[in-house]
């Protein structure tokens, strides 16, 4: 690698504190810009006349693009051309955001989201490694270069201990910025229109381009050729198609009645086909995009299981949104403000992970604590869900769940990386992002939404049987509504229809709250079973001779 200026990547006139601040603030547009935004999905759905599943599907496609980047991770962070990559990346994000703001095509929105996810991961990793080098004077690529692994058990153990302290800090940083971005987009969508979120993000990318252009000099490429083998983009396409088909089935299954719909059948067949093609390409290629023998590592298999369990049970966060939306009738902005309490949970979880990890507490006890806290959050909802719930009390399950999530989120990667040869790192990041951001949440969302709907219908049928004239409370409420409609000048038929609708609405609310309470209880039991599993599972480190 060619010699770099002392103040790389900035001009010499840029003070180091200012340079560090610039690199940190560049993460704001990187982590915030996306194809769709969860906080304004309601406004976007109504504005475009789309199903909510469309927006949910496109959000997962963004995550697929982020996972598809991972096998290029090592080559890209070694390029060391921050200015070129930032200007090119932010320019493309600007154009794609504009397309997302004006299009009403789900296909085009999904394609832009896939590319934006890919670009976000490129910029995030490149900027992170540049920040580490600039702020701390460390060449972090040395810790991921194949062949530079520790060669003794003591060296590996020291490295694992360092990761158990650094991983929570890194994840805390990104998760706080992500939550701030969610709150910002919710406010923009609430105060203005959903399109204004995209225009604001376009403005942020322009500011980022201007700052990079003014503070960073041009650096020529140091190597003989560009290190990315573009033949790998064939594998990228197959991987993206495979994940898209899988997530299509999970998101649209409930809406389209699963395999009664031809598109669900076709997506399943295509998923099997693309899985076969992907396995063939990776097992026969001279320059594989994905190292299949990574699954021989015991820690990797356990990491996949932990992330799956975490993301499935973490979907129980919808209990708070359902309860506040149905029982309290609050809007997206208030829900997003409630979600900001998760920052407190992330901070508490990171502190616990760092302090206990530095004292040599075994990871299995921290994993168990994580599942215990997520279960405690569900148990809190079990006792809290009622007709007269308080908005102020909903911050407690948010904080408790976020604390448990942070423990598992940051330390699962530490366990999976134990004594893992560096050549597997890019493949592991791909697996981690796929399980953590696509498959796990997809399964969790499909499971919770389907069960919630089924239990709602069960309780509606059950409660409706008692909603007749023999029930004095129902009869009194019905008559009161009829009389009120008559006083407003409505006809007898209109008054009775309005009273029936009012009675039906009350039954639906009660049925929804009962379904949330029941599912909270089952979530608690699931978390306790997971806690028992991580405690009895035999943890063994890889032998260096293997």
């Amino acid at each position: 690698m060619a010699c770099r200026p002392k103040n790389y990547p900035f001009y010499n006139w840029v003070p180091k504190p200012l340079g560090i601040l610039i690199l940190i603030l560049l993460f704001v547009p990187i982590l915030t810009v996306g194809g769709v935004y969860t906080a304004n999905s309601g406004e976007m759905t109504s504005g475009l006349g789309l199903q909510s599943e469309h927006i949910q599907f496109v959000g997962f496609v963004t995550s697929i693009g982020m996972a598809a980047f991972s096998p290029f991770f090592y080559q890209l962070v070694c390029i060391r051309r921050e200015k070129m990559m930032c200007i090119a990346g932010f320019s493309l994000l600007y154009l794609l955001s504009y397309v997302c703001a004006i299009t009403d095509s789900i296909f085009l929105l999904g394609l832009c989201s896939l590319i934006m996810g890919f670009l976000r991961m490129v910029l995030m990793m490149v900027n992170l490694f540049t920040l580490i080098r600039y702020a701390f004077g460390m060449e972090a690529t040395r810790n991921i270069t194949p062949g530079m692994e520790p060669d003794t058990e003591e060296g590996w153990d020291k490295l694992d201990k360092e990761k158990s302290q650094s991983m929570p800090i890194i994840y805390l940083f990104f998760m706080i910025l992500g939550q701030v971005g969610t709150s910002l987009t919710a406010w923009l969508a609430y105060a203005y229109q959903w399109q204004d979120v995209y225009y604001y993000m376009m403005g942020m990318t322009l500011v980022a381009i201007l700052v990079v252009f003014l503070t960073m000099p041009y650096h020529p490429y140091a190597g003989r050729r560009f290190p990315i083998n573009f033949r790998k983009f064939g594998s990228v396409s197959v991987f993206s198609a495979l994940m898209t088909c899988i997530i299509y089935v999970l998101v649209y299954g409930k809406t389209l009645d699963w395999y009664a719909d031809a598109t669900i059948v076709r997506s399943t067949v295509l998923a099997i086909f693309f899985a076969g093609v992907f396995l063939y390409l990776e097992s026969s290629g001279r320059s594989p995009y994905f190292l299949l023998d990574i699954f021989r590592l015991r820690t990797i298999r356990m990491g996949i299981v932990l992330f799956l369990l975490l993301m499935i049970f973490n979907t129980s966060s919808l209990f708070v949104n359902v309860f506040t939306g149905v029982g309290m009738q609050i809007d997206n902005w208030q829900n997003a403000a409630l979600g900001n309490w998760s920052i407190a949970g992330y901070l508490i979880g990171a502190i616990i992970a760092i302090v206990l990890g530095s004292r040599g507490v075994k990871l299995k006890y921290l994993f168990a604590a994580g599942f215990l806290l997520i279960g405690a959050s569900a148990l809190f909802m079990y006792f809290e869900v009622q007709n007269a719930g308080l908005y102020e009390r909903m911050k407690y399950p948010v904080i408790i769940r976020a604390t448990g999530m942070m423990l598992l989120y940051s330390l699962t990667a530490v366990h999976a990386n134990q004594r893992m040869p560096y050549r597997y790192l890019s493949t592991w990041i791909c697996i981690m992002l796929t399980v953590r951001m696509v498959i796990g949440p997809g399964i969790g969302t499909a499971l919770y939404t389907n069960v919630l709907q089924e239990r709602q219908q069960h309780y509606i049928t059950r409660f409706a049987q008692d909603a007749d004239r023999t029930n004095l409370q129902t009869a009194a409420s019905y008559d009161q509504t009829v009389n009120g409609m008559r006083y407003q000048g409505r006809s007898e038929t209109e008054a009775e229809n309005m009273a029936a609708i009012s009675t039906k609405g009350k039954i639906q609310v009660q049925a929804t709250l009962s379904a949330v309470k029941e599912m909270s209880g089952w979530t608690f039991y699931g978390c306790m079973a997971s806690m028992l599993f991580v405690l009895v599972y035999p943890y063994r480190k890889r032998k260096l001779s293997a």
Side-chain angles (χ1 to χ4, degrees):
M1 184 176 294
C3 181
R4 297 295 186 188
K6 291 179 63 175
N7 206 39
Y8 175 83
F10 296 101
Y11 286 111
N12 291 330
W13 59 264
V14 178
K16 190 166 186 176
L18 177 61
I20 294 173
L21 180 63
I22 290 173
L23 290 175
I24 291 175
L25 292 179
L26 284 179
F27 282 111
V28 176
I30 292 172
L31 293 174
T32 307
V33 175
V36 292
Y37 304 96
T38 304
N40 76 333
S41 59
E43 289 83 356
M44 194 172 184
T45 299
S46 58
L48 294 175
L50 301 173
Q51 296 177 354
S52 59
E53 286 80 7
H54 291 334
I55 305 301
Q56 189 180 35
F57 172 73
V58 172
F60 279 120
V61 170
T62 304
S63 300
I64 293 171
M66 296 175 70
F69 148 81
S70 302
F72 301 112
F73 161 68
Y74 177 73
Q75 291 90 342
L76 284 172
V77 298
C78 291
I79 291 178
R80 288 291 184 231
R81 299 188 68 191
E82 175 83 357
K83 181 174 185 177
M84 179 274 292
M85 300 184 79
C86 283
I87 291 179
F90 283 125
S91 298
L92 290 172
L93 288 175
Y94 175 90
L95 295 174
L96 293 169
S97 294
Y98 177 73
V99 173
C100 291
I102 64 174
T103 187
D104 57 0
S105 168
I106 288 299
F107 172 78
L108 194 57
L109 191 61
L111 181 61
C112 289
S113 298
L114 182 73
I115 300 172
M116 292 173 83
F118 192 96
L119 293 172
R120 282 175 60 183
M121 279 300 294
V122 173
L123 292 175
M124 183 161 56
M125 291 296 102
V126 170
N127 201 56
L128 175 63
F129 276 72
T130 302
L131 175 62
I132 292 173
R133 176 174 177 174
Y134 185 73
F136 305 105
M138 297 169 51
E139 184 51 78
T141 55
R142 294 176 182 173
N143 294 329
I144 61 175
T145 301
M148 300 189 70
E149 298 95 335
D151 53 6
T152 63
E153 292 189 359
E154 292 76 13
W156 277 111
D157 292 340
K158 180 182 178 182
L159 182 62
D160 292 340
K161 186 175 181 180
E162 291 175 355
K163 288 180 180 178
S164 67
Q165 297 177 15
S166 61
M167 285 286 189
I169 297 174
I170 295 173
Y171 277 102
L172 177 65
F173 173 72
F174 285 127
M175 293 172 81
I176 288 177
L177 284 182
Q179 183 59 42
V180 170
T182 299
S183 181
L184 174 62
T185 54
W187 175 77
L188 288 169
Y190 177 78
Y192 303 101
Q193 296 179 335
W194 65 264
Q195 293 94 338
D196 293 328
V197 178
Y198 289 98
Y199 297 135
Y200 180 84
M201 298 304 162
M202 291 163 63
M204 281 207 305
T205 59
L206 288 179
V207 171
I209 291 172
L210 180 62
V211 170
V212 169
F213 183 79
L214 293 177
T215 60
M216 297 183 186
Y218 171 79
H219 294 103
Y221 180 58
R224 294 182 178 180
R225 66 179 184 86
F226 193 69
I228 301 299
N229 182 351
F230 284 92
R231 288 180 297 178
K232 291 184 179 180
F233 279 94
S235 298
V236 170
S237 301
V238 175
F239 173 83
S240 299
L242 167 62
M243 290 296 110
T244 301
C245 289
I246 292 174
I247 209 64
Y248 181 89
V249 173
L250 293 174
V251 170
Y252 288 99
K254 175 175 67 70
T255 304
L256 301 178
D257 196 20
W258 296 100
Y259 289 98
D261 183 81
T263 61
I264 297 294
V265 175
R266 285 197 296 269
S267 295
T268 303
V269 173
L270 286 173
I272 296 172
F273 170 76
F274 285 124
V277 173
F278 185 75
L279 291 174
Y280 172 77
L281 290 175
E282 301 316 304
S283 60
S284 61
R286 290 178 298 175
S287 180
Y289 167 82
F290 190 99
L291 300 177
L292 294 176
D293 56 343
I294 191 176
F295 295 108
R296 297 177 181 175
L297 300 180
R298 183 185 180 91
T299 55
I300 294 296
R301 298 195 297 269
M302 185 57 178
I304 293 172
V305 172
L306 286 172
F307 272 132
L308 271 176
L309 292 173
L310 165 62
M311 300 316 298
I312 289 173
F313 289 123
N314 191 57
T315 311
S316 62
S317 61
L318 66 83
F319 293 155
V320 173
N321 294 336
V322 171
F323 179 47
T324 54
V326 173
M328 303 177 190
Q329 301 296 318
I330 70 171
D331 53 39
N332 286 341
W333 165 237
Q334 289 175 297
N335 255 333
L338 189 63
N340 288 336
W341 284 101
S342 61
I343 294 177
Y346 297 151
L347 182 60
I348 295 171
I351 293 174
I352 293 174
I354 294 171
V355 172
L356 296 184
S358 63
R359 294 187 177 182
V361 176
K362 293 182 178 180
L363 288 178
K364 68 176 182 179
Y365 297 121
L366 297 177
F367 294 152
F371 283 115
L372 177 63
L373 288 167
I374 296 176
S377 174
L379 190 64
F380 184 97
M381 291 301 298
Y382 179 85
F383 290 107
E384 185 66 22
V385 170
Q386 53 186 303
N387 290 330
L390 295 176
Y391 174 78
E392 292 78 10
R393 290 178 60 83
M394 288 299 98
K395 63 186 177 184
Y396 299 117
V398 173
I399 294 173
I400 296 170
R401 182 190 56 79
T403 303
M405 176 190 174
M406 187 65 188
L407 283 172
L408 287 161
Y409 210 74
S410 58
L411 295 179
T412 296
V414 174
H415 171 70
N417 284 179
Q418 284 183 342
R419 299 188 180 181
M420 183 183 71
Y422 291 163
R423 69 178 184 276
Y424 291 125
L425 182 60
S426 294
T427 302
W428 160 244
I429 293 175
C430 182
I431 293 173
M432 178 177 64
L433 294 180
T434 302
V435 174
R436 195 178 69 192
M437 301 178 66
V438 182
I439 296 178
I443 294 174
T445 301
L447 178 65
Y448 274 87
T449 54
N450 277 274
V451 174
L452 180 62
Q453 184 186 45
E454 191 278 328
R455 300 315 293 166
Q456 280 177 313
Q457 294 303 314
H458 167 79
Y459 284 111
I460 287 174
T461 303
R462 177 179 169 182
F463 295 152
Q465 293 175 352
D466 300 325
D468 53 24
R469 281 288 179 182
T470 61
N471 187 309
L472 297 179
Q473 185 177 359
T474 302
S477 177
Y478 181 89
D479 292 338
Q480 183 179 6
T481 304
V482 169
N483 293 332
M485 292 297 103
R486 286 174 180 168
Y487 291 144
Q488 295 179 17
R490 303 294 180 91
S491 66
E492 183 72 22
T493 302
E494 288 179 321
E496 291 179 352
N497 288 338
M498 293 296 294
I501 292 173
S502 176
T503 302
K504 179 183 177 183
K506 292 177 181 178
I507 292 175
Q508 287 179 325
V509 170
Q510 190 62 40
T512 301
L513 297 182
S514 298
V516 169
K517 182 180 284 288
E518 179 183 348
M519 291 178 65
S520 297
W522 285 111
T523 299
F524 173 75
Y525 290 136
C527 289
M528 294 304 99
S530 299
M531 183 180 73
L532 181 62
F533 165 70
V534 299
L535 287 174
V536 301
Y537 177 83
Y539 296 83
R540 301 190 187 97
K541 293 184 178 181
R542 179 178 67 89
K543 295 181 179 179
L544 298 187
S545 59

